[in-house]
Amino acid sequence: MKSNIKLSKMARSEERWAWLFIASPFIGFLLFMAYPIIFAVIASMSKWTGINSLAKSMCGLDNYINIAKDPKFWKSLGTTVIYMIGIPIGMFLGLFIAMGLNRRIPGSRLLSTMYYVPVVSSLVAVSILWTWVFNYDYGLFNTIIKVLTGLHGPNWLGDEGAVKVALIIFMVWKGLGSSVILYLAGLRNIPRDYYEAATIDGANSWQTFKSVTLPLISPVSFYIIITSLIGGFQVFVEVQVMTGNGGTNYSAATIVYYLFDKAFKNQQLGYGCALAVILGIIIFIITAINFKYQDKWVNTD
């Protein structure tokens, strides 16, 4: 009888500790996720500036209507989508380099580390560094172009078209190490039996790559696509540091830079919240579509 009572007390104690452990992250979610989201949705329907009263500045859907009519919004959204061109480029280069490192050549560990250094480096610091690289007068790129062709290179960060190319190059370089490491891990997890079976069946290198390697690393590709798309819609620091004001005629501005411009430079916090809500919806829809159709190409066996 006593042992049953003790067991009951122990069970109640374990239950209290279980609720405590569950409550901590749940409260954290409510405070740092749910509340800011709900507040942003409410504030998005106001002319709130951070100084005036939120309750007295409600304006319904005016902010969303104004955003739909704002050419700067569409321009920054279009520029953000253009930067996504760097995602497949980075994935291709990452897989190419990972396949080379997977051969376990001498110094492959050192090379893997070198490729990953930009990922863990300060984004502000490397953005400043690349601003010098892209400098019109004495930058590394234009110096190389002048040596090879005798012609002066473009104004990378001043020209409306060249600035997009420059930022795509920078973003591919910055995220390449992450793709390399992920693909390398995926390649090394592929059992050698599959390659041996393909060789026995008479498959050449391309057929083996297409029928064995690509399907078996498709979960890694899916993860890279999802995280790259989410990160791509949140590009801000690069634009802020390398162009200062969104580039010539706002040619380099992303949707997050435009949000920052409206919310903090122009003190239109309600308008900025509306932009954040729209951005969140866009990211949610794109992520949901990717998850919906992943079964068509992602190998989950």
Side-chain angles (χ1 to χ4, degrees):
M1 188 70 176
K2 290 183 178 179
S3 61
N4 290 337
I5 295 173
K6 289 182 179 179
L7 182 63
S8 178
K9 288 180 178 179
M10 288 177 61
R12 286 199 298 270
S13 177
E14 288 180 358
E15 184 177 357
R16 285 195 295 269
W17 278 105
W19 279 111
L20 181 62
F21 281 113
I22 293 171
S24 298
F26 182 70
I27 293 171
F29 170 79
L30 291 177
L31 289 176
F32 301 109
M33 292 290 291
Y35 172 72
I37 291 172
I38 294 170
F39 181 85
V41 172
I42 295 171
S44 71
M45 294 181 285
S46 72
K47 298 292 184 181
W48 184 49
T49 63
I51 299 174
N52 62 339
S53 170
L54 177 63
K56 295 180 180 179
S57 60
M58 300 303 292
C59 62
L61 299 177
D62 286 356
N63 285 332
Y64 293 96
I65 295 170
N66 292 333
I67 289 172
K69 297 176 181 178
D70 192 343
K72 274 192 172 182
F73 166 75
W74 295 108
K75 188 172 185 176
S76 60
L77 180 60
T79 301
T80 305
V81 173
I82 290 172
Y83 290 153
M84 301 292 180
I85 295 172
I87 295 175
I89 296 173
M91 291 177 66
F92 172 78
L93 291 175
L95 179 57
F96 180 78
I97 295 170
M99 290 182 69
L101 294 174
N102 193 41
R103 296 181 178 274
R104 301 184 186 277
I105 59 176
S108 60
R109 289 187 177 181
L110 177 62
L111 288 172
S112 299
T113 304
M114 290 174 62
Y115 280 117
Y116 199 70
V117 166
V119 179
V120 295
S121 299
S122 166
L123 184 53
V124 173
V126 294
S127 296
I128 294 172
L129 176 65
W130 276 80
T131 302
W132 296 338
V133 171
F134 287 124
N135 186 274
Y136 178 71
D137 296 313
Y138 53 82
L140 178 62
F141 274 21
N142 281 354
T143 300
I144 293 173
I145 291 171
K146 193 168 185 178
V147 169
L148 295 177
T149 66
L151 302 174
H152 203 293
N155 186 1
W156 290 100
L157 300 178
D159 182 76
E160 292 187 32
V163 70
K164 294 181 176 65
V165 177
L167 284 169
I168 289 172
I169 292 171
F170 170 75
M171 285 184 272
V172 169
W173 172 84
K174 183 72 171 65
L176 184 61
S178 180
S179 297
V180 169
I181 295 299
L182 289 169
Y183 273 130
L184 188 58
L187 290 169
R188 289 181 177 173
N189 281 329
I190 298 175
R192 303 306 303 173
D193 299 348
Y194 289 101
Y195 292 110
E196 292 171 2
T199 302
I200 293 171
D201 290 340
N204 58 32
S205 298
W206 168 248
Q207 290 170 332
T208 302
F209 174 74
K210 184 178 69 172
S211 302
V212 178
T213 304
L214 276 182
L216 293 178
I217 62 169
S218 58
V220 177
S221 298
F222 178 72
Y223 174 80
I224 293 173
I225 288 172
I226 291 294
T227 54
S228 297
L229 285 171
I230 294 173
F233 275 105
Q234 300 179 65
V235 171
F236 167 72
V237 174
E238 301 93 316
V239 178
Q240 171 73 357
V241 174
M242 298 176 71
T243 67
N245 57 355
T248 305
N249 294 326
Y250 228 59
S251 56
T254 60
I255 189 168
V256 174
Y257 181 86
Y258 178 57
L259 188 160
F260 168 80
D261 197 10
K262 283 290 186 180
F264 298 103
K265 286 188 177 181
N266 297 331
Q267 299 299 313
Q268 297 177 336
L269 293 178
Y271 195 92
C273 287
L275 286 167
V277 171
I278 292 172
L279 178 60
I281 292 171
I282 291 172
I283 292 174
F284 175 80
I285 291 172
I286 291 175
T287 304
I289 291 172
N290 276 285
F291 272 98
K292 180 175 176 60
Y293 293 103
Q294 67 168 318
D295 292 338
K296 296 184 180 296
W297 66 279
V298 178
N299 179 36
T300 56
D301 296 335

